[in-house]
Amino acid sequence: MSIFTGAGVALITPMHEDGSINYPEMERIVNDQIAGGTDAIIICGTTGEAATMTIEEHVETIRACVEMTKKRVPVVAGTGSNCTRTAIELSKDAQNAGADGLLVVSPYYNKATQNGLKKHFTEVAKNVDLPIVLYNIKGRTGVNIEPKTIADLVHDVDNIVAVKEASGDISQVAEILYRCQGDVDVYSGNDDQIVPIVALGGKGVISVLSHVAPKDTHDMVMKLIEGDVKGAYELQLKYIPLIKALFSEVNPIPVKAAMNMMGYQTGSLRMPLTEMEDAHKEVLRQAMKDVGIKVTD
């Protein structure tokens, strides 16, 4: 029940200067991503600033992305919340809007137990028919989804089929794959760990880097899957300085700055996020130039 193999872009949400969502520019970015080789669009995730969207904006952005994509690649909608009822309603709305899958982050701030996580994800899953990607990112949520918990969910709930692993712990990724015995698709949540995770048996990445290098991010995954180990790790290492620059401030601050440097109109960030510091911006600009990305001076 794989949703996609390769590189899915964790899409930014471009804004007008007044903070409203710039749908024409979003369509331009979606089209460029698909033309560049991106394998899926992940909408309304962390990178998409979903945390500062109203429910109405969240649902409309998912619906708009589905319409823009026109079934050329899968659309995976972020529908997680620290409130189980809200996550259920968002998930239903995303299904009605035409999403192909859901990305559901573990509840943040509440700091649920592992049993609480199981109940939360199970309740969300049983209210929709779409395949679900669990999103494990302790650095933002305060709680790790343990490998045993992931394995229990994958084996007990038919439509929980994947995990976006952003713990940064390669040993944990290995344990997830061992415990699930081929029944889960693992996507790297960190662009600097694409090759190690795919080498362990992962399906690909949900990527920030794809915004600025969609073809190479796709190729990094597919080269390894197809047996070109050298080609894959050379791409991984080539982009390490740029990946570091893209996370020199809180995501999505740097990637929005990078997209503006490439000529896109991504607009402002919603508070409490602020514009990138000039010193970090110069490092980012140089890192982009060093890998051959055309940027404005």
Side-chain angles (χ1 to χ4, degrees):
M1 203 175 179
S2 294
I3 303 171
F4 72 95
T5 298
V9 62
L11 200 74
I12 61 166
T13 303
M15 309 282 185
H16 294 292
E17 289 307 315
D18 64 0
S20 61
I21 296 171
N22 186 341
Y23 289 109
E25 192 67 359
M26 189 170 91
E27 184 168 20
R28 177 189 174 199
I29 295 168
V30 165
N31 286 333
D32 286 352
Q33 283 293 307
I34 295 171
T38 287
D39 299 290
I41 306 292
I42 290 76
I43 192 74
C44 291
T46 303
T47 313
E49 299 179 75
T52 52
M53 287 182 180
T54 66
I55 296 293
E56 292 76 17
E57 285 177 320
H58 196 135
V59 176
E60 180 53 35
T61 300
I62 295 168
R63 182 177 293 110
C65 185
V66 169
E67 292 174 358
M68 293 168 187
T69 305
K70 296 180 174 65
K71 297 295 181 182
R72 289 173 289 173
V73 297
V75 173
V76 180
T79 57
S81 172
N82 67 327
C83 171
T84 303
R85 287 176 297 174
T86 302
I88 290 169
E89 291 308 311
L90 273 173
S91 298
K92 288 179 178 178
D93 288 340
Q95 178 168 297
N96 291 335
D100 299 290
L102 305 175
L103 178 69
V104 184
V105 72
S106 55
Y108 39 87
Y109 187 75
N110 308 62
K111 298 189 76 171
T113 64
Q114 296 301 303
N115 282 337
L117 292 175
K118 286 182 188 178
K119 290 182 178 180
H120 172 82
F121 289 122
T122 300
E123 284 298 311
V124 174
K126 78 181 187 182
N127 278 278
V128 292
D129 299 320
L130 296 178
I132 288 175
V133 183
L134 307 177
Y135 183 11
N136 188 29
I137 182 163
K138 182 181 178 180
R140 284 187 182 264
T141 65
V143 175
N144 184 49
I145 313 175
E146 299 292 342
K148 183 180 184 302
T149 300
I150 292 169
D152 288 347
L153 285 164
V154 166
H155 292 142
D156 294 343
V157 185
D158 288 344
N159 58 328
I160 294 179
V161 300
V163 57
K164 176 185 177 184
E165 240 300 324
S167 67
D169 185 345
I170 294 295
S171 296
Q172 174 160 292
V173 174
E175 186 176 352
I176 291 167
L177 287 158
Y178 166 73
R179 284 181 176 271
C180 293
Q181 293 294 302
D183 292 330
V184 71
D185 292 339
V186 176
Y187 298 102
S188 176
N190 297 312
D191 285 312
D192 60 352
Q193 294 182 337
I194 299 171
V195 167
I197 287 176
V198 174
L200 283 168
K203 281 282 185 177
V205 61
I206 294 177
S207 173
V208 173
L209 177 65
S210 284
H211 286 92
V212 298
K215 183 180 186 301
D216 277 353
T217 311
H218 163 87
D219 286 352
M220 200 185 302
V221 175
M222 299 314 297
K223 281 178 182 292
L224 190 57
I225 289 174
E226 293 165 3
D228 182 3
V229 177
K230 185 173 184 289
Y233 77 66
E234 284 179 346
L235 282 173
Q236 178 77 87
L237 297 179
K238 171 184 175 181
Y239 281 98
I240 290 295
L242 177 53
I243 292 165
K244 184 176 180 181
L246 284 169
F247 290 90
S248 59
E249 293 188 23
V250 174
N251 181 43
I253 293 172
V255 71
K256 277 195 141 180
M259 294 291 275
N260 281 327
M261 291 177 198
M262 293 172 68
Y264 293 97
Q265 304 299 316
T266 68
S268 58
L269 296 128
R270 287 191 173 175
M271 291 287 286
L273 299 183
T274 53
E275 296 301 316
M276 194 174 191
E277 295 178 17
D278 288 342
H280 292 158
K281 195 177 290 185
E282 289 311 308
V283 172
L284 174 61
R285 180 179 284 108
Q286 188 58 53
M288 293 169 71
K289 288 180 177 179
D290 287 345
V291 295
I293 297 170
K294 187 176 179 180
V295 298
T296 57
D297 290 315

